[in-house]
Amino acid sequence: EGWAASRSPPMLAFASSPLSFSAPALARPAAALRGAASMGLAPPVEKSQALPFAERPAKLDGTLVGDVGFDPLGLSNILPIEWMREAELKHGRVCMLAVVGYIVVDKGLRAPGAEKLVAATSSFTAHDAAVQSGHMWALLLACGLFEIVGAGAIASTLNGGDRKPGEFALTGGFDRDAAKLERFKLAEIKHSRLAMMAFSGLVTQDALSHGATGFPYF
């Protein structure tokens, strides 16, 4: 018994020694990367945040607000990243308005002067009704003016100017607080992406019944 007691501490120390040697194996990633570089080894490939099984696209380096490395088709290698962000914001803003507009029209709201002309029109049939009545020309004119005004700003961005994609100096005074402005920019791009998906689903669901179901479209 005395022999066992006298031999226990060395045995316990021997048994715990592998645990003591496991700490260096859990070195910090940054240190591991530096070690790999010093040994001439290629560093691990950085993965996309949105698609962890895929590599992060080279141009999606996190500079743009809301960039999570999502580019499964590799479009960032073909088109300017600034142009694609401009398009993403533009389509997202239009869809945010479109979702609201689609619903309120189906709930009975009409533009001033159009109450009698399109009183029985739903959002699903509004396009054909506007073409038939001629009101579509006014909409095309308004959209064309917006496109002409924005063309110069987009050209400035693509030519290396200081303007960031989607910015038109319409900050509402929130640019006084840089941190708050960044939060709003992140919220905008998230809502834009959600709205593009939501409007696609909304119109598809409404089209399945040819506009007969109405809000909430199921």
Side-chain angles (χ1 to χ4, degrees):
E1 183 177 350
W3 179 85
S6 64
R7 302 292 293 178
S8 295
M11 292 176 66
L12 290 174
F14 179 77
S16 62
S17 61
L19 297 177
S20 64
F21 283 108
S22 65
L26 300 177
R28 295 180 181 178
L33 290 176
R34 288 195 296 269
S38 64
M39 296 172 62
L41 301 177
V45 176
E46 186 175 353
K47 297 297 184 179
S48 165
Q49 182 181 347
L51 303 173
F53 53 84
E55 296 183 14
R56 178 185 61 80
K59 293 185 179 180
L60 300 183
D61 56 1
T63 303
L64 297 175
V65 176
D67 175 15
V68 291
F70 183 80
D71 185 18
L73 299 180
L75 297 179
S76 60
N77 298 321
I78 303 173
L79 301 170
I81 192 68
E82 296 83 6
W83 185 85
M84 288 193 293
R85 171 49 64 94
E86 187 84 33
E88 182 180 30
L89 282 171
K90 179 181 290 186
H91 285 82
R93 290 164 179 171
V94 168
C95 283
M96 284 190 282
L97 291 170
V99 168
V100 177
Y102 202 97
I103 293 174
V104 297
V105 166
D106 276 347
K107 296 299 290 183
L109 183 65
R110 297 291 183 271
E115 296 89 348
K116 296 181 179 179
L117 182 63
V118 291
T121 301
S122 66
S123 293
F124 184 75
T125 59
H127 175 273
D128 293 346
V131 171
Q132 186 175 1
S133 66
H135 286 78
M136 184 60 73
W137 289 108
L139 181 60
L140 289 175
L141 177 61
C143 291
L145 290 175
F146 279 116
E147 289 294 326
I148 293 173
V149 171
I154 298 172
S156 174
T157 300
L158 296 179
N159 291 329
D162 295 333
R163 175 187 177 270
K164 294 182 179 180
E167 290 189 357
F168 291 95
L170 301 174
T171 61
F174 292 110
D175 55 337
R176 299 169 187 170
D177 187 334
K180 183 180 292 185
L181 183 61
E182 287 300 306
R183 290 199 302 271
F184 280 129
K185 286 182 177 180
L186 180 59
E188 181 186 34
I189 193 64
K190 287 185 174 181
H191 284 82
S192 293
R193 292 165 178 169
L194 177 61
M196 286 187 280
M197 297 180 67
F199 188 69
S200 300
L202 184 154
V203 173
T204 301
Q205 181 67 23
D206 197 23
L208 292 176
S209 64
H210 300 283
T213 305
F215 182 80
Y217 312 110
F218 58 83

